[in-house]
Amino acid sequence: MWHGSPEDPEDAAGTPRQGVREPRSPEGPAPSAQTASNRTASRRGSACAPAKRKESPVSAARKRVAVVGVGTMGSQAAWRLAARGAEVVAYDRFAPGHDRSAAGGETRIFRSAHFEDSRYVPLLKHADTLWEQLQQETGRELRRLTGCLLMGSTEHQQMATVLESIAEHGLDHEVLDAEAVAKRFPQYRLEDGDAAVLDRRAGFIRPELTVQTAARRAEQLGARIERYTPVREITPAGGGVEVRTDSGSERFDAVVVTVGPWVNDLLPDLPWEVDIRRLISAWYVPTTDAWFGEERPAFIRTTPTHCYGLPSPDGVSVKIGLSRDLHAPAGDPNALDRTVRPEELEIFTELVRRHLPDLHPDPTRLAVYMEGYTESSRPLIGPLPGAENVVLLAGFSGHGFKLSPAFGDIAADLALDGTSSQPIDFLSTVGRTTA
């Protein structure tokens, strides 16, 4: 199955290697991959329309589930598992809410319309419901709906996909021409041939607060979180799974792996490639009041430079980020280069000059994060081949945070029931040959 790599830096220090390995049990060999595959297939349900599930603590309480990584996805998975009565132990190499991965920078975008694939929209609706539920349960404002302005050439496929998803799912929106944009949103500059769509069921999410809030809610419901405890190895064993840390091992019925940019370290023999990229966020101060007027939506531009931005909740600055193709490889996630060099700002400078001229051209703040991408930009959701009790969530390709409550709920489905009623066939690891 999966074994730690001799090049792993922990190995060089003498620590046993990481990964998922074959069990070394005196009771006999591990189940064959074919047997595991057959069991997985027999338990897998077909996709259907999202439905609100009642919590079922009686059945879930019979399972112990580990969550490895308590970040964007892991904190939500821990909450959803604990809400259903499972015995949850969650591990993180740092602590919930840290800034070492992708969940930083105070804001992320939530939107209902989707550029990449309209099949995400039912999942976004499920996430929307769960965002409201988490806020109600905790009394914290994790999300604010301010709208999101989607802009780009009418010839670009992503703008066509947005309009298709809006029409197919009846989303609340408004199509704006250049004159309307200039009047209502003078901080943006459209080019000839551009279209603009205002997604009304959109806004910003507070990522660090969300991760900490979901993790704390999981603890209130009985979960145990092991902070500053990296997992070294995951081993199928006797119908369950063993999780090993530097402090020892624990046995579970199932494990949810949500380690973000460390997925290739923990699972070096993963059959799909997850490309870990280093991304830069930059904050700019407006020179006019237009950015913080009555309407202050987030924005995404598809062409000519794919980028996004959000006015900061404190009314001081505007955060700007770029898309995957403009990110450099991250290298070792344990040694991320957090220094932003002047030449890396050139693309931001040109973007501000061309499309956002009411921002001061020099940033006041810079930050570096990491994200994992698959070749198709579709995340990997589901069991590992030959290890049906190990549920993987990885490779969210820059658009996972807004969906994180839904994906956490799906992880709970798969860990407890082996199937989910959510429409995830196009994201599933089952039978998937390419990333």
Side-chain angles (χ1 to χ4, degrees):
M1 206 178 293
W2 291 273
H3 302 272
S5 167
E7 286 77 29
D8 185 64
E10 300 293 345
D11 248 3
T15 303
R17 293 179 292 186
Q18 302 177 342
V20 177
R21 60 180 172 84
E22 298 284 4
R24 294 189 292 269
S25 169
E27 299 173 2
S32 69
Q34 182 62 48
T35 300
S37 176
N38 289 341
R39 284 203 305 266
T40 301
S42 67
R43 297 172 62 187
R44 188 170 72 251
S46 60
C48 63
K52 186 176 171 103
R53 180 202 309 99
K54 295 180 180 179
E55 313 294 6
S56 52
V58 176
S59 61
R62 290 195 282 268
K63 287 202 172 185
R64 294 190 82 227
V65 183
V67 177
V68 182
V70 194
T72 299
M73 300 298 164
S75 61
Q76 300 281 0
W79 167 47
R80 300 312 302 145
L81 284 160
R84 292 167 64 180
E87 183 181 348
V88 180
V89 181
Y91 302 87
D92 198 276
R93 65 174 54 240
F94 301 112
H98 67 78
D99 67 348
R100 310 295 180 87
S101 183
E106 289 83 51
T107 53
R108 294 294 294 266
I109 294 177
F110 176 84
R111 52 192 166 99
S112 297
H114 213 277
F115 282 118
E116 293 77 12
D117 193 321
S118 63
R119 289 177 291 181
Y120 282 102
V121 175
L123 297 175
L124 283 162
K125 290 183 176 181
H126 186 49
D128 190 14
T129 299
L130 289 170
W131 279 112
E132 293 297 325
Q133 181 177 334
L134 184 57
Q135 290 186 138
Q136 290 171 6
E137 288 185 14
T138 62
R140 303 303 301 269
E141 184 193 50
L142 308 176
R143 184 184 66 160
R144 187 179 299 172
L145 298 178
T146 59
C148 183
L149 197 61
L150 313 171
M151 298 173 287
S153 169
T154 55
E155 303 297 321
H156 197 275
Q157 179 58 46
Q158 288 190 332
M159 291 303 294
T161 302
V162 162
L163 293 173
E164 289 170 5
S165 67
I166 285 171
E168 180 181 352
H169 298 283
L171 304 179
D172 189 8
H173 76 289
E174 187 175 352
V175 177
L176 304 174
D177 59 20
E179 183 179 353
V181 171
K183 183 177 180 180
R184 288 172 58 182
F185 306 108
Q187 64 269 41
Y188 302 110
R189 297 294 185 272
L190 294 188
E191 298 189 346
D192 291 343
D194 278 355
V197 178
L198 181 63
D199 178 358
R200 291 200 184 98
R201 189 71 185 174
F204 69 84
I205 306 163
R206 305 175 189 271
E208 299 95 335
L209 179 62
T210 292
V211 171
Q212 288 196 340
T213 300
R216 179 171 174 77
R217 182 58 180 153
E219 288 181 301
Q220 291 172 341
L221 294 170
R224 185 178 99 228
I225 297 179
E226 298 289 345
R227 294 163 169 83
Y228 303 101
T229 307
V231 167
R232 302 302 183 189
E233 199 168 45
I234 299 170
T235 309
V241 189
E242 191 173 87
V243 172
R244 184 177 64 79
T245 69
D246 294 340
S247 300
S249 298
E250 282 198 67
R251 192 77 164 274
F252 298 91
D253 296 297
V255 174
V256 176
V257 178
T258 55
V259 291
W262 286 272
V263 65
N264 297 319
D265 281 7
L266 183 62
L267 306 175
D269 297 320
L270 198 67
W272 311 283
E273 180 181 358
V274 179
D275 180 23
I276 309 302
R277 294 264 161 174
R278 170 183 173 273
L279 61 106
I280 300 169
S281 291
W283 283 258
Y284 293 82
V285 173
T287 58
T288 72
D289 294 332
W291 281 97
F292 299 102
E294 184 176 344
E295 291 187 284
R296 45 188 298 184
F299 75 89
I300 301 174
R301 172 168 278 281
T302 62
T303 55
T305 301
H306 201 298
C307 62
Y308 63 90
L310 307 96
S312 62
D314 61 11
V316 172
S317 62
V318 177
K319 172 186 170 183
I320 297 177
L322 305 173
S323 68
R324 169 186 185 167
D325 293 341
L326 302 171
H327 301 325
D332 181 1
N334 298 297
L336 177 65
D337 179 5
R338 292 177 175 268
T339 300
V340 179
R341 289 166 287 280
E343 58 270 23
E344 294 182 284
L345 290 178
E346 291 175 1
I347 190 167
F348 287 90
T349 302
E350 174 59 18
L351 175 65
V352 168
R353 183 197 66 77
R354 185 169 178 176
H355 297 292
L356 310 165
D358 291 338
L359 296 181
H360 194 284
D362 300 314
T364 59
R365 175 185 169 194
L366 299 166
V368 174
Y369 303 98
M370 292 182 285
E371 285 183 339
Y373 294 84
T374 63
E375 183 178 357
S376 67
S377 293
R378 291 183 290 114
L380 300 161
I381 310 290
L384 292 179
E388 65 179 57
N389 292 335
V390 180
V391 177
L392 175 68
L393 281 76
F396 290 92
S397 303
H399 48 260
F401 207 100
K402 60 185 173 293
L403 286 154
S404 59
F407 286 138
D409 202 42
I410 289 164
D413 289 341
L414 297 174
L416 298 176
D417 306 324
T419 187
S420 176
S421 65
Q422 297 301 317
I424 59 169
D425 286 355
F426 72 112
L427 308 175
S428 178
T429 58
V430 178
R432 187 161 168 173
T433 57
T434 61

